[in-house]
Amino acid sequence: MTTNTAPAAVYRRGLRLLLDKNVPGWIDLWDENGILEFPFAPDGWPQRLEGRAAVAAYMRGYPEHIDLHDFPHVEIHQTLAPQTIVVEMRGVGRLVETGGPFDVSYIAVVTVKDGLITHYRDYWNPLALQDPATHFAGSPR
């Protein structure tokens, strides 16, 4: 069976892996030199991660802090650059530590080459971090 390496297919596969709490599988979708950026990251949170290892370290504790249930809205837009998509989406679930709701809107600009994510700019809503239980990313908070 061949795997679809189109950017939208890779992205949707990544969402499924996150819902399955398969962070290692999600990391496998990344190019060795992939870059993950958070242009709206609050103070104390990383703004740029360089390389698959850095992305893996950042995501290591994700399932222990965020119990992701669904992406009720995912809209993928193809850009004029065939390897790049823009994604509008919303992730919902619960915060493991408090049991409180997790409801975050995202816009992502994602580039995929040869079936691997090479660049991911995540424009997530930092207001969702007002609950300290959302902290999971190795920042000193």
Side-chain angles (χ1 to χ4, degrees):
M1 171 162 71
T2 59
T3 301
N4 188 342
T5 61
V10 171
Y11 196 83
R12 288 189 187 282
R13 190 164 45 257
L15 294 180
R16 181 76 254 158
L17 290 165
L18 289 174
L19 288 173
D20 292 343
K21 290 149 184 57
N22 184 349
V23 173
W26 187 79
I27 296 300
D28 286 344
L29 296 177
W30 281 79
D31 181 81
E32 187 68 30
N33 298 307
I35 295 171
L36 176 56
E37 294 181 290
F38 301 100
F40 298 144
D43 290 340
W45 285 69
Q47 290 189 329
R48 182 179 172 99
L49 302 168
E50 296 185 19
R52 182 188 300 149
V55 174
Y58 174 82
M59 290 293 290
R60 180 178 359 176
Y62 189 89
E64 289 82 38
H65 298 281
I66 310 264
D67 179 16
L68 198 53
H69 295 167
D70 193 16
F71 293 102
H73 173 79
V74 177
E75 192 171 341
I76 299 177
H77 307 276
Q78 183 61 56
T79 69
L80 293 177
Q83 298 173 320
T84 301
I85 56 175
V86 174
V87 181
E88 298 176 73
M89 65 182 215
R90 183 172 149 240
V92 297
R94 72 176 180 87
L95 302 172
V96 173
E97 185 176 317
T98 67
F102 177 81
D103 191 338
V104 179
S105 295
Y106 304 84
I107 293 179
V109 179
V110 182
T111 301
V112 173
K113 293 180 184 170
D114 299 323
L116 297 174
I117 298 167
T118 59
H119 199 166
Y120 191 125
R121 278 190 313 274
D122 191 349
Y123 295 91
W124 55 276
N125 178 4
L127 296 177
L129 295 179
Q130 293 194 7
D131 185 329
T134 59
H135 169 69
F136 67 91
S139 69
R141 291 180 11 145

